[in-house]
Amino acid sequence: MGGTRRSQRGLDWLNFFVADVQTGFGPFVAVYLASQAWTEVQIGFALSLGTLTAMLSQMPAGAIVDAARDKRRMAFLALVALAFSAVLLAAWPSTLPVYASEMLHGFASCVLNPSIAAISLALVGREALGERLGRNARFASLGGAIAAGLMGLVGTYLSPAAVFWMTAALTIPSLISLSRIRGEELRPVQATQMAGHGDARREGSIRDLLADRGILIFAGCAALFTLSNAAMLPLAGAAVTQRAGDEANLIIAACLVVPQLVVAAISPLVGRAAQQYGRRLVLIVGFSMLPVRGVLLAMVEEPAALIMVQALDGISAATLNVMLPLLAADLTRGTNRFNLCIGFFGLAVGIGGTISTTLGGAVAAWSSSADAFLMLGGIGLLCLILAWAAMPETRDQLPKDMALAQ
């Protein structure tokens, strides 16, 4: 694997602390706003506004990261923006500041995630990218698990707003970790994508992306994945808040920690399995957890059972976390549009997430939470069917010498 030990460790800890920061913007937002007397519909709209901003920003942000020569600077600016959005949410939990915070978070995340992916690719090259992505996911999951536990305690015994002050503070070690990645060790991403393809120096374009069957099918899978998945834990969190009161933050923290530990445990296995058995099989196994989880969430009410069901989220999350950038690298081989492709997949994720929280909240309000979970599980089944029936195998497109090297 490329890069010195210092840069590799810097990237490890960057993923760890970035996950800490992002954890603060997860289901804790729903719990925090519920404690401020926001209704389910208002909470769903605020969360959807953030994902709508992310949806509109994904491809422009990916193109910006592709064009930027210094990927570390892009990550730095995104982290500063995330810190500001956390402060805004903690200090002013009224309508306009919350909306502004969600929008700023949505845009900054669109810049940060592809920046880290680009740094990873530039540091290790295409040949070692799968292993590096598994390592990224492991450290991110450990960071998210620890942060969720700490934030649950802080939210329970201090105040819900303290979660977001802690989130802002965690950007400091993120920036320190970023500074430890040596710029001179980062190869141009275009060069890593062109390796072994000296006669195929294509710029790539949105039209090229839309003409690629594999890209379109996986984008559809990604949209259905988040349409099914995004609303599940917020809906469960809202129900737990009503039943558990002050203990809700601890239960939500456990629902975050357990799947994160699963992701940390299996992410390297996901990367290895994708290389050994193919991308398509890994997608099918990971996506099969969505309908199962939807049915189980509709049946359980006890907090302990809810936490156990959430372990299934770790399997599907590990699959998407590793496979999305890996498939983007596969499908943009020979071009300089790695981050644009990630942005396109992110757009699909944003569309699904934008609809999911509003749709799930509406079904829960009009019918019941159980019906909402069954509906979300049914969408997950569609995602599984699409991956099984139509997704091409991209591993076999690797040059033989590269496949052997991996």
Side-chain angles (χ1 to χ4, degrees), residues 129-131 133-134 266-283 285 318-319 322-324 326-327 330 393-398 403 406:
L129 182 60
E131 181 182 351
L133 291 173
I266 72 171
S267 288
L269 299 178
V270 170
R272 295 190 197 107
Q275 184 55 40
Q276 184 174 358
Y277 302 109
R279 277 57 159 160
R280 183 171 170 272
L281 179 60
V282 172
L283 289 176
V285 173
T319 300
V322 174
M323 296 305 295
L324 189 152
L326 184 58
L327 284 169
D330 285 351
E393 177 54 63
T394 62
R395 180 196 63 170
D396 296 335
Q397 297 174 12
L398 286 170
Q406 291 185 342

PDB file of all heavy atoms in Angstrom, residues 129-131 133-134 266-283 285 318-319 322-324 326-327 330 393-398 403 406:
ATOM      1  N   LEU A 129      -6.711   0.249  -3.796  1.00  0.00           N
ATOM      2  CA  LEU A 129      -7.833   1.059  -3.330  1.00  0.00           C
ATOM      3  C   LEU A 129      -8.836   0.253  -2.517  1.00  0.00           C
ATOM      4  O   LEU A 129      -9.361   0.737  -1.512  1.00  0.00           O
ATOM      5  CB  LEU A 129      -8.529   1.716  -4.527  1.00  0.00           C
ATOM      6  CG  LEU A 129      -9.694   2.646  -4.178  1.00  0.00           C
ATOM      7  CD1 LEU A 129      -9.230   3.793  -3.285  1.00  0.00           C
ATOM      8  CD2 LEU A 129     -10.359   3.178  -5.444  1.00  0.00           C
ATOM      9  N   GLY A 130      -9.140  -0.982  -2.935  1.00  0.00           N
ATOM     10  CA  GLY A 130     -10.113  -1.772  -2.192  1.00  0.00           C
ATOM     11  C   GLY A 130      -9.697  -1.978  -0.743  1.00  0.00           C
ATOM     12  O   GLY A 130     -10.499  -1.827   0.176  1.00  0.00           O
ATOM     13  N   GLU A 131      -8.436  -2.326  -0.544  1.00  0.00           N
ATOM     14  CA  GLU A 131      -7.930  -2.513   0.814  1.00  0.00           C
ATOM     15  C   GLU A 131      -7.996  -1.210   1.605  1.00  0.00           C
ATOM     16  O   GLU A 131      -8.351  -1.196   2.785  1.00  0.00           O
ATOM     17  CB  GLU A 131      -6.487  -3.020   0.752  1.00  0.00           C
ATOM     18  CG  GLU A 131      -5.856  -3.274   2.109  1.00  0.00           C
ATOM     19  CD  GLU A 131      -4.407  -3.723   1.997  1.00  0.00           C
ATOM     20  OE1 GLU A 131      -3.946  -3.997   0.870  1.00  0.00           O
ATOM     21  OE2 GLU A 131      -3.736  -3.782   3.052  1.00  0.00           O
ATOM     22  N   LEU A 133     -10.033   1.348   1.127  1.00  0.00           N
ATOM     23  CA  LEU A 133     -11.424   1.696   1.430  1.00  0.00           C
ATOM     24  C   LEU A 133     -11.957   0.879   2.606  1.00  0.00           C
ATOM     25  O   LEU A 133     -12.711   1.390   3.442  1.00  0.00           O
ATOM     26  CB  LEU A 133     -12.308   1.476   0.199  1.00  0.00           C
ATOM     27  CG  LEU A 133     -12.076   2.443  -0.967  1.00  0.00           C
ATOM     28  CD1 LEU A 133     -12.892   2.013  -2.175  1.00  0.00           C
ATOM     29  CD2 LEU A 133     -12.408   3.876  -0.567  1.00  0.00           C
ATOM     30  N   GLY A 134     -11.568  -0.398   2.675  1.00  0.00           N
ATOM     31  CA  GLY A 134     -11.961  -1.197   3.828  1.00  0.00           C
ATOM     32  C   GLY A 134     -11.380  -0.653   5.111  1.00  0.00           C
ATOM     33  O   GLY A 134     -12.041  -0.624   6.154  1.00  0.00           O
ATOM     34  N   ILE A 266     -16.483  -6.046   9.771  1.00  0.00           N
ATOM     35  CA  ILE A 266     -16.612  -6.746   8.491  1.00  0.00           C
ATOM     36  C   ILE A 266     -16.157  -5.949   7.277  1.00  0.00           C
ATOM     37  O   ILE A 266     -16.046  -6.526   6.180  1.00  0.00           O
ATOM     38  CB  ILE A 266     -18.060  -7.226   8.263  1.00  0.00           C
ATOM     39  CG1 ILE A 266     -18.987  -6.036   7.957  1.00  0.00           C
ATOM     40  CG2 ILE A 266     -18.566  -8.021   9.448  1.00  0.00           C
ATOM     41  CD1 ILE A 266     -20.374  -6.470   7.514  1.00  0.00           C
ATOM     42  N   SER A 267     -15.876  -4.655   7.408  1.00  0.00           N
ATOM     43  CA  SER A 267     -15.522  -3.852   6.225  1.00  0.00           C
ATOM     44  C   SER A 267     -14.328  -4.413   5.452  1.00  0.00           C
ATOM     45  O   SER A 267     -14.384  -4.518   4.218  1.00  0.00           O
ATOM     46  CB  SER A 267     -15.265  -2.407   6.628  1.00  0.00           C
ATOM     47  OG  SER A 267     -16.463  -1.753   6.971  1.00  0.00           O
ATOM     48  N   PRO A 268     -13.228  -4.775   6.123  1.00  0.00           N
ATOM     49  CA  PRO A 268     -12.131  -5.393   5.354  1.00  0.00           C
ATOM     50  C   PRO A 268     -12.558  -6.681   4.660  1.00  0.00           C
ATOM     51  O   PRO A 268     -12.102  -6.974   3.554  1.00  0.00           O
ATOM     52  CB  PRO A 268     -11.061  -5.656   6.427  1.00  0.00           C
ATOM     53  CG  PRO A 268     -11.353  -4.678   7.512  1.00  0.00           C
ATOM     54  CD  PRO A 268     -12.850  -4.579   7.538  1.00  0.00           C
ATOM     55  N   LEU A 269     -13.447  -7.452   5.291  1.00  0.00           N
ATOM     56  CA  LEU A 269     -13.951  -8.672   4.661  1.00  0.00           C
ATOM     57  C   LEU A 269     -14.774  -8.354   3.420  1.00  0.00           C
ATOM     58  O   LEU A 269     -14.740  -9.091   2.427  1.00  0.00           O
ATOM     59  CB  LEU A 269     -14.798  -9.470   5.660  1.00  0.00           C
ATOM     60  CG  LEU A 269     -14.081  -9.953   6.922  1.00  0.00           C
ATOM     61  CD1 LEU A 269     -15.062 -10.673   7.838  1.00  0.00           C
ATOM     62  CD2 LEU A 269     -12.918 -10.862   6.566  1.00  0.00           C
ATOM     63  N   VAL A 270     -15.532  -7.242   3.480  1.00  0.00           N
ATOM     64  CA  VAL A 270     -16.316  -6.827   2.322  1.00  0.00           C
ATOM     65  C   VAL A 270     -15.392  -6.522   1.144  1.00  0.00           C
ATOM     66  O   VAL A 270     -15.642  -6.951   0.008  1.00  0.00           O
ATOM     67  CB  VAL A 270     -17.186  -5.602   2.661  1.00  0.00           C
ATOM     68  CG1 VAL A 270     -17.813  -5.010   1.404  1.00  0.00           C
ATOM     69  CG2 VAL A 270     -18.277  -5.984   3.657  1.00  0.00           C
ATOM     70  N   GLY A 271     -14.311  -5.785   1.421  1.00  0.00           N
ATOM     71  CA  GLY A 271     -13.359  -5.466   0.364  1.00  0.00           C
ATOM     72  C   GLY A 271     -12.718  -6.710  -0.234  1.00  0.00           C
ATOM     73  O   GLY A 271     -12.598  -6.831  -1.460  1.00  0.00           O
ATOM     74  N   ARG A 272     -12.313  -7.641   0.627  1.00  0.00           N
ATOM     75  CA  ARG A 272     -11.688  -8.868   0.133  1.00  0.00           C
ATOM     76  C   ARG A 272     -12.689  -9.733  -0.642  1.00  0.00           C
ATOM     77  O   ARG A 272     -12.363 -10.319  -1.672  1.00  0.00           O
ATOM     78  CB  ARG A 272     -11.111  -9.671   1.298  1.00  0.00           C
ATOM     79  CG  ARG A 272      -9.976  -8.962   2.020  1.00  0.00           C
ATOM     80  CD  ARG A 272      -9.282  -9.882   3.005  1.00  0.00           C
ATOM     81  NE  ARG A 272      -8.481  -9.110   3.955  1.00  0.00           N
ATOM     82  CZ  ARG A 272      -8.801  -8.914   5.210  1.00  0.00           C
ATOM     83  NH1 ARG A 272      -9.916  -9.448   5.706  1.00  0.00           N
ATOM     84  NH2 ARG A 272      -8.031  -8.192   6.011  1.00  0.00           N
ATOM     85  N   ALA A 273     -13.923  -9.812  -0.122  1.00  0.00           N
ATOM     86  CA  ALA A 273     -14.941 -10.611  -0.805  1.00  0.00           C
ATOM     87  C   ALA A 273     -15.272 -10.021  -2.166  1.00  0.00           C
ATOM     88  O   ALA A 273     -15.511 -10.760  -3.135  1.00  0.00           O
ATOM     89  CB  ALA A 273     -16.204 -10.691   0.052  1.00  0.00           C
ATOM     90  N   ALA A 274     -15.284  -8.700  -2.265  1.00  0.00           N
ATOM     91  CA  ALA A 274     -15.567  -8.063  -3.549  1.00  0.00           C
ATOM     92  C   ALA A 274     -14.513  -8.424  -4.577  1.00  0.00           C
ATOM     93  O   ALA A 274     -14.810  -8.584  -5.764  1.00  0.00           O
ATOM     94  CB  ALA A 274     -15.648  -6.547  -3.376  1.00  0.00           C
ATOM     95  N   GLN A 275     -13.261  -8.568  -4.134  1.00  0.00           N
ATOM     96  CA  GLN A 275     -12.199  -8.943  -5.051  1.00  0.00           C
ATOM     97  C   GLN A 275     -12.223 -10.434  -5.374  1.00  0.00           C
ATOM     98  O   GLN A 275     -12.016 -10.846  -6.508  1.00  0.00           O
ATOM     99  CB  GLN A 275     -10.840  -8.569  -4.459  1.00  0.00           C
ATOM    100  CG  GLN A 275      -9.666  -8.844  -5.382  1.00  0.00           C
ATOM    101  CD  GLN A 275      -9.826  -8.172  -6.746  1.00  0.00           C
ATOM    102  OE1 GLN A 275     -10.286  -7.040  -6.826  1.00  0.00           O
ATOM    103  NE2 GLN A 275      -9.442  -8.875  -7.791  1.00  0.00           N
ATOM    104  N   GLN A 276     -12.521 -11.244  -4.360  1.00  0.00           N
ATOM    105  CA  GLN A 276     -12.460 -12.694  -4.553  1.00  0.00           C
ATOM    106  C   GLN A 276     -13.696 -13.248  -5.247  1.00  0.00           C
ATOM    107  O   GLN A 276     -13.594 -14.104  -6.145  1.00  0.00           O
ATOM    108  CB  GLN A 276     -12.272 -13.385  -3.205  1.00  0.00           C
ATOM    109  CG  GLN A 276     -12.105 -14.900  -3.313  1.00  0.00           C
ATOM    110  CD  GLN A 276     -11.779 -15.536  -1.967  1.00  0.00           C
ATOM    111  OE1 GLN A 276     -11.637 -14.851  -0.968  1.00  0.00           O
ATOM    112  NE2 GLN A 276     -11.663 -16.862  -1.962  1.00  0.00           N
ATOM    113  N   TYR A 277     -14.888 -12.770  -4.833  1.00  0.00           N
ATOM    114  CA  TYR A 277     -16.132 -13.338  -5.336  1.00  0.00           C
ATOM    115  C   TYR A 277     -16.879 -12.422  -6.296  1.00  0.00           C
ATOM    116  O   TYR A 277     -17.872 -12.843  -6.902  1.00  0.00           O
ATOM    117  CB  TYR A 277     -17.053 -13.690  -4.165  1.00  0.00           C
ATOM    118  CG  TYR A 277     -16.433 -14.661  -3.192  1.00  0.00           C
ATOM    119  CD1 TYR A 277     -16.043 -14.244  -1.929  1.00  0.00           C
ATOM    120  CD2 TYR A 277     -16.216 -15.988  -3.547  1.00  0.00           C
ATOM    121  CE1 TYR A 277     -15.459 -15.125  -1.030  1.00  0.00           C
ATOM    122  CE2 TYR A 277     -15.643 -16.879  -2.663  1.00  0.00           C
ATOM    123  CZ  TYR A 277     -15.261 -16.434  -1.396  1.00  0.00           C
ATOM    124  OH  TYR A 277     -14.682 -17.322  -0.517  1.00  0.00           O
ATOM    125  N   GLY A 278     -16.444 -11.180  -6.402  1.00  0.00           N
ATOM    126  CA  GLY A 278     -17.096 -10.253  -7.319  1.00  0.00           C
ATOM    127  C   GLY A 278     -17.933  -9.216  -6.596  1.00  0.00           C
ATOM    128  O   GLY A 278     -18.436  -9.440  -5.493  1.00  0.00           O
ATOM    129  N   ARG A 279     -18.069  -8.066  -7.261  1.00  0.00           N
ATOM    130  CA  ARG A 279     -18.828  -6.962  -6.670  1.00  0.00           C
ATOM    131  C   ARG A 279     -20.314  -7.289  -6.541  1.00  0.00           C
ATOM    132  O   ARG A 279     -20.962  -6.942  -5.555  1.00  0.00           O
ATOM    133  CB  ARG A 279     -18.682  -5.717  -7.549  1.00  0.00           C
ATOM    134  CG  ARG A 279     -17.454  -4.861  -7.355  1.00  0.00           C
ATOM    135  CD  ARG A 279     -16.144  -5.545  -7.509  1.00  0.00           C
ATOM    136  NE  ARG A 279     -15.064  -4.588  -7.790  1.00  0.00           N
ATOM    137  CZ  ARG A 279     -13.801  -4.836  -7.602  1.00  0.00           C
ATOM    138  NH1 ARG A 279     -13.423  -6.002  -7.096  1.00  0.00           N
ATOM    139  NH2 ARG A 279     -12.885  -3.935  -7.910  1.00  0.00           N
ATOM    140  N   ARG A 280     -20.873  -7.931  -7.555  1.00  0.00           N
ATOM    141  CA  ARG A 280     -22.319  -8.162  -7.602  1.00  0.00           C
ATOM    142  C   ARG A 280     -22.800  -9.029  -6.442  1.00  0.00           C
ATOM    143  O   ARG A 280     -23.825  -8.729  -5.811  1.00  0.00           O
ATOM    144  CB  ARG A 280     -22.674  -8.810  -8.935  1.00  0.00           C
ATOM    145  CG  ARG A 280     -24.146  -9.049  -9.167  1.00  0.00           C
ATOM    146  CD  ARG A 280     -24.418  -9.490 -10.604  1.00  0.00           C
ATOM    147  NE  ARG A 280     -25.781  -9.944 -10.771  1.00  0.00           N
ATOM    148  CZ  ARG A 280     -26.190 -11.188 -10.575  1.00  0.00           C
ATOM    149  NH1 ARG A 280     -25.302 -12.116 -10.200  1.00  0.00           N
ATOM    150  NH2 ARG A 280     -27.454 -11.522 -10.741  1.00  0.00           N
ATOM    151  N   LEU A 281     -22.088 -10.103  -6.133  1.00  0.00           N
ATOM    152  CA  LEU A 281     -22.495 -10.978  -5.042  1.00  0.00           C
ATOM    153  C   LEU A 281     -22.470 -10.242  -3.707  1.00  0.00           C
ATOM    154  O   LEU A 281     -23.375 -10.402  -2.880  1.00  0.00           O
ATOM    155  CB  LEU A 281     -21.579 -12.202  -4.990  1.00  0.00           C
ATOM    156  CG  LEU A 281     -21.870 -13.202  -3.865  1.00  0.00           C
ATOM    157  CD1 LEU A 281     -23.277 -13.753  -3.988  1.00  0.00           C
ATOM    158  CD2 LEU A 281     -20.848 -14.337  -3.862  1.00  0.00           C
ATOM    159  N   VAL A 282     -21.448  -9.424  -3.497  1.00  0.00           N
ATOM    160  CA  VAL A 282     -21.361  -8.651  -2.251  1.00  0.00           C
ATOM    161  C   VAL A 282     -22.545  -7.694  -2.133  1.00  0.00           C
ATOM    162  O   VAL A 282     -23.134  -7.541  -1.059  1.00  0.00           O
ATOM    163  CB  VAL A 282     -20.025  -7.893  -2.189  1.00  0.00           C
ATOM    164  CG1 VAL A 282     -19.999  -6.931  -1.011  1.00  0.00           C
ATOM    165  CG2 VAL A 282     -18.863  -8.878  -2.079  1.00  0.00           C
ATOM    166  N   LEU A 283     -22.912  -7.054  -3.227  1.00  0.00           N
ATOM    167  CA  LEU A 283     -24.064  -6.156  -3.209  1.00  0.00           C
ATOM    168  C   LEU A 283     -25.343  -6.897  -2.847  1.00  0.00           C
ATOM    169  O   LEU A 283     -26.151  -6.416  -2.035  1.00  0.00           O
ATOM    170  CB  LEU A 283     -24.232  -5.475  -4.569  1.00  0.00           C
ATOM    171  CG  LEU A 283     -23.201  -4.430  -4.961  1.00  0.00           C
ATOM    172  CD1 LEU A 283     -23.462  -3.938  -6.375  1.00  0.00           C
ATOM    173  CD2 LEU A 283     -23.204  -3.255  -3.989  1.00  0.00           C
ATOM    174  N   VAL A 285     -25.757  -9.688  -1.114  1.00  0.00           N
ATOM    175  CA  VAL A 285     -25.764 -10.078   0.301  1.00  0.00           C
ATOM    176  C   VAL A 285     -26.034  -8.866   1.188  1.00  0.00           C
ATOM    177  O   VAL A 285     -26.861  -8.914   2.116  1.00  0.00           O
ATOM    178  CB  VAL A 285     -24.427 -10.737   0.684  1.00  0.00           C
ATOM    179  CG1 VAL A 285     -24.367 -10.984   2.189  1.00  0.00           C
ATOM    180  CG2 VAL A 285     -24.258 -12.061  -0.065  1.00  0.00           C
ATOM    181  N   ALA A 318     -21.857  -1.407   5.676  1.00  0.00           N
ATOM    182  CA  ALA A 318     -20.501  -1.765   5.264  1.00  0.00           C
ATOM    183  C   ALA A 318     -20.443  -2.004   3.766  1.00  0.00           C
ATOM    184  O   ALA A 318     -19.486  -1.608   3.084  1.00  0.00           O
ATOM    185  CB  ALA A 318     -20.032  -3.004   6.023  1.00  0.00           C
ATOM    186  N   THR A 319     -21.469  -2.637   3.239  1.00  0.00           N
ATOM    187  CA  THR A 319     -21.519  -2.899   1.806  1.00  0.00           C
ATOM    188  C   THR A 319     -21.515  -1.608   1.007  1.00  0.00           C
ATOM    189  O   THR A 319     -20.720  -1.421   0.078  1.00  0.00           O
ATOM    190  CB  THR A 319     -22.777  -3.726   1.459  1.00  0.00           C
ATOM    191  OG1 THR A 319     -22.738  -4.962   2.170  1.00  0.00           O
ATOM    192  CG2 THR A 319     -22.857  -3.987  -0.031  1.00  0.00           C
ATOM    193  N   VAL A 322     -18.124   0.628   1.354  1.00  0.00           N
ATOM    194  CA  VAL A 322     -16.956   0.138   0.621  1.00  0.00           C
ATOM    195  C   VAL A 322     -17.219   0.098  -0.878  1.00  0.00           C
ATOM    196  O   VAL A 322     -16.385   0.490  -1.693  1.00  0.00           O
ATOM    197  CB  VAL A 322     -16.541  -1.254   1.135  1.00  0.00           C
ATOM    198  CG1 VAL A 322     -15.413  -1.836   0.280  1.00  0.00           C
ATOM    199  CG2 VAL A 322     -16.100  -1.173   2.599  1.00  0.00           C
ATOM    200  N   MET A 323     -18.398  -0.357  -1.265  1.00  0.00           N
ATOM    201  CA  MET A 323     -18.654  -0.620  -2.669  1.00  0.00           C
ATOM    202  C   MET A 323     -18.908   0.638  -3.487  1.00  0.00           C
ATOM    203  O   MET A 323     -18.588   0.671  -4.680  1.00  0.00           O
ATOM    204  CB  MET A 323     -19.842  -1.578  -2.804  1.00  0.00           C
ATOM    205  CG  MET A 323     -19.604  -2.955  -2.208  1.00  0.00           C
ATOM    206  SD  MET A 323     -18.135  -3.773  -2.863  1.00  0.00           S
ATOM    207  CE  MET A 323     -18.621  -3.980  -4.567  1.00  0.00           C
ATOM    208  N   LEU A 324     -19.475   1.680  -2.894  1.00  0.00           N
ATOM    209  CA  LEU A 324     -19.780   2.880  -3.692  1.00  0.00           C
ATOM    210  C   LEU A 324     -18.516   3.486  -4.303  1.00  0.00           C
ATOM    211  O   LEU A 324     -18.439   3.651  -5.530  1.00  0.00           O
ATOM    212  CB  LEU A 324     -20.563   3.891  -2.858  1.00  0.00           C
ATOM    213  CG  LEU A 324     -21.136   5.095  -3.603  1.00  0.00           C
ATOM    214  CD1 LEU A 324     -22.394   5.609  -2.915  1.00  0.00           C
ATOM    215  CD2 LEU A 324     -20.130   6.243  -3.728  1.00  0.00           C
ATOM    216  N   LEU A 326     -15.593   2.058  -4.561  1.00  0.00           N
ATOM    217  CA  LEU A 326     -14.890   1.032  -5.325  1.00  0.00           C
ATOM    218  C   LEU A 326     -15.509   0.857  -6.713  1.00  0.00           C
ATOM    219  O   LEU A 326     -14.804   0.769  -7.726  1.00  0.00           O
ATOM    220  CB  LEU A 326     -14.924  -0.297  -4.564  1.00  0.00           C
ATOM    221  CG  LEU A 326     -14.143  -1.454  -5.187  1.00  0.00           C
ATOM    222  CD1 LEU A 326     -12.672  -1.095  -5.367  1.00  0.00           C
ATOM    223  CD2 LEU A 326     -14.279  -2.710  -4.322  1.00  0.00           C
ATOM    224  N   LEU A 327     -16.835   0.847  -6.775  1.00  0.00           N
ATOM    225  CA  LEU A 327     -17.504   0.757  -8.063  1.00  0.00           C
ATOM    226  C   LEU A 327     -17.285   2.018  -8.895  1.00  0.00           C
ATOM    227  O   LEU A 327     -17.157   1.950 -10.124  1.00  0.00           O
ATOM    228  CB  LEU A 327     -18.996   0.504  -7.865  1.00  0.00           C
ATOM    229  CG  LEU A 327     -19.376  -0.921  -7.460  1.00  0.00           C
ATOM    230  CD1 LEU A 327     -20.836  -0.998  -7.040  1.00  0.00           C
ATOM    231  CD2 LEU A 327     -19.114  -1.888  -8.601  1.00  0.00           C
ATOM    232  N   ASP A 330     -14.007   1.505 -10.468  1.00  0.00           N
ATOM    233  CA  ASP A 330     -14.118   0.513 -11.540  1.00  0.00           C
ATOM    234  C   ASP A 330     -14.735   1.126 -12.792  1.00  0.00           C
ATOM    235  O   ASP A 330     -14.247   0.937 -13.913  1.00  0.00           O
ATOM    236  CB  ASP A 330     -15.006  -0.661 -11.103  1.00  0.00           C
ATOM    237  CG  ASP A 330     -14.321  -1.605 -10.141  1.00  0.00           C
ATOM    238  OD1 ASP A 330     -13.099  -1.464  -9.921  1.00  0.00           O
ATOM    239  OD2 ASP A 330     -15.014  -2.486  -9.591  1.00  0.00           O
ATOM    240  N   GLU A 393     -21.171  -7.296 -13.421  1.00  0.00           N
ATOM    241  CA  GLU A 393     -19.978  -7.535 -12.608  1.00  0.00           C
ATOM    242  C   GLU A 393     -18.838  -6.669 -13.135  1.00  0.00           C
ATOM    243  O   GLU A 393     -18.416  -6.814 -14.282  1.00  0.00           O
ATOM    244  CB  GLU A 393     -19.593  -9.008 -12.664  1.00  0.00           C
ATOM    245  CG  GLU A 393     -18.316  -9.340 -11.906  1.00  0.00           C
ATOM    246  CD  GLU A 393     -18.367  -8.856 -10.478  1.00  0.00           C
ATOM    247  OE1 GLU A 393     -19.242  -9.340  -9.725  1.00  0.00           O
ATOM    248  OE2 GLU A 393     -17.557  -7.982 -10.127  1.00  0.00           O
ATOM    249  N   THR A 394     -18.349  -5.745 -12.321  1.00  0.00           N
ATOM    250  CA  THR A 394     -17.292  -4.836 -12.760  1.00  0.00           C
ATOM    251  C   THR A 394     -15.902  -5.336 -12.412  1.00  0.00           C
ATOM    252  O   THR A 394     -14.916  -4.839 -12.960  1.00  0.00           O
ATOM    253  CB  THR A 394     -17.486  -3.438 -12.146  1.00  0.00           C
ATOM    254  OG1 THR A 394     -17.397  -3.527 -10.709  1.00  0.00           O
ATOM    255  CG2 THR A 394     -18.835  -2.859 -12.528  1.00  0.00           C
ATOM    256  N   ARG A 395     -15.788  -6.310 -11.526  1.00  0.00           N
ATOM    257  CA  ARG A 395     -14.467  -6.832 -11.181  1.00  0.00           C
ATOM    258  C   ARG A 395     -13.790  -7.432 -12.399  1.00  0.00           C
ATOM    259  O   ARG A 395     -12.587  -7.279 -12.599  1.00  0.00           O
ATOM    260  CB  ARG A 395     -14.584  -7.901 -10.099  1.00  0.00           C
ATOM    261  CG  ARG A 395     -13.248  -8.502  -9.670  1.00  0.00           C
ATOM    262  CD  ARG A 395     -13.406  -9.792  -8.905  1.00  0.00           C
ATOM    263  NE  ARG A 395     -14.023 -10.819  -9.722  1.00  0.00           N
ATOM    264  CZ  ARG A 395     -14.110 -12.100  -9.372  1.00  0.00           C
ATOM    265  NH1 ARG A 395     -13.637 -12.495  -8.204  1.00  0.00           N
ATOM    266  NH2 ARG A 395     -14.695 -12.986 -10.166  1.00  0.00           N
ATOM    267  N   ASP A 396     -14.534  -8.090 -13.246  1.00  0.00           N
ATOM    268  CA  ASP A 396     -13.965  -8.774 -14.403  1.00  0.00           C
ATOM    269  C   ASP A 396     -13.455  -7.815 -15.462  1.00  0.00           C
ATOM    270  O   ASP A 396     -12.790  -8.234 -16.410  1.00  0.00           O
ATOM    271  CB  ASP A 396     -15.010  -9.704 -15.026  1.00  0.00           C
ATOM    272  CG  ASP A 396     -15.405 -10.817 -14.078  1.00  0.00           C
ATOM    273  OD1 ASP A 396     -14.589 -11.153 -13.199  1.00  0.00           O
ATOM    274  OD2 ASP A 396     -16.525 -11.334 -14.198  1.00  0.00           O
ATOM    275  N   GLN A 397     -13.766  -6.510 -15.301  1.00  0.00           N
ATOM    276  CA  GLN A 397     -13.289  -5.520 -16.253  1.00  0.00           C
ATOM    277  C   GLN A 397     -11.875  -5.088 -15.941  1.00  0.00           C
ATOM    278  O   GLN A 397     -11.253  -4.364 -16.714  1.00  0.00           O
ATOM    279  CB  GLN A 397     -14.199  -4.299 -16.252  1.00  0.00           C
ATOM    280  CG  GLN A 397     -15.624  -4.634 -16.699  1.00  0.00           C
ATOM    281  CD  GLN A 397     -16.561  -3.447 -16.547  1.00  0.00           C
ATOM    282  OE1 GLN A 397     -16.113  -2.325 -16.314  1.00  0.00           O
ATOM    283  NE2 GLN A 397     -17.849  -3.688 -16.689  1.00  0.00           N
ATOM    284  N   LEU A 398     -11.346  -5.509 -14.788  1.00  0.00           N
ATOM    285  CA  LEU A 398      -9.966  -5.152 -14.443  1.00  0.00           C
ATOM    286  C   LEU A 398      -8.984  -5.831 -15.405  1.00  0.00           C
ATOM    287  O   LEU A 398      -9.167  -6.988 -15.772  1.00  0.00           O
ATOM    288  CB  LEU A 398      -9.630  -5.602 -13.014  1.00  0.00           C
ATOM    289  CG  LEU A 398     -10.237  -4.800 -11.871  1.00  0.00           C
ATOM    290  CD1 LEU A 398      -9.991  -5.543 -10.567  1.00  0.00           C
ATOM    291  CD2 LEU A 398      -9.653  -3.422 -11.801  1.00  0.00           C
ATOM    292  N   ALA A 403      -5.592  -7.274 -11.734  1.00  0.00           N
ATOM    293  CA  ALA A 403      -6.345  -8.200 -10.892  1.00  0.00           C
ATOM    294  C   ALA A 403      -5.420  -9.077 -10.086  1.00  0.00           C
ATOM    295  O   ALA A 403      -5.637  -9.338  -8.902  1.00  0.00           O
ATOM    296  CB  ALA A 403      -7.262  -9.062 -11.761  1.00  0.00           C
ATOM    297  N   GLN A 406      -3.916  -7.150  -7.202  1.00  0.00           N
ATOM    298  CA  GLN A 406      -4.784  -6.953  -6.048  1.00  0.00           C
ATOM    299  C   GLN A 406      -4.960  -8.228  -5.267  1.00  0.00           C
ATOM    300  O   GLN A 406      -5.360  -8.214  -4.137  1.00  0.00           O
ATOM    301  CB  GLN A 406      -6.152  -6.430  -6.500  1.00  0.00           C
ATOM    302  CG  GLN A 406      -6.063  -5.012  -7.038  1.00  0.00           C
ATOM    303  CD  GLN A 406      -7.449  -4.475  -7.353  1.00  0.00           C
ATOM    304  OE1 GLN A 406      -8.413  -5.235  -7.484  1.00  0.00           O
ATOM    305  NE2 GLN A 406      -7.568  -3.175  -7.480  1.00  0.00           N
TER     306      GLN A 406
END
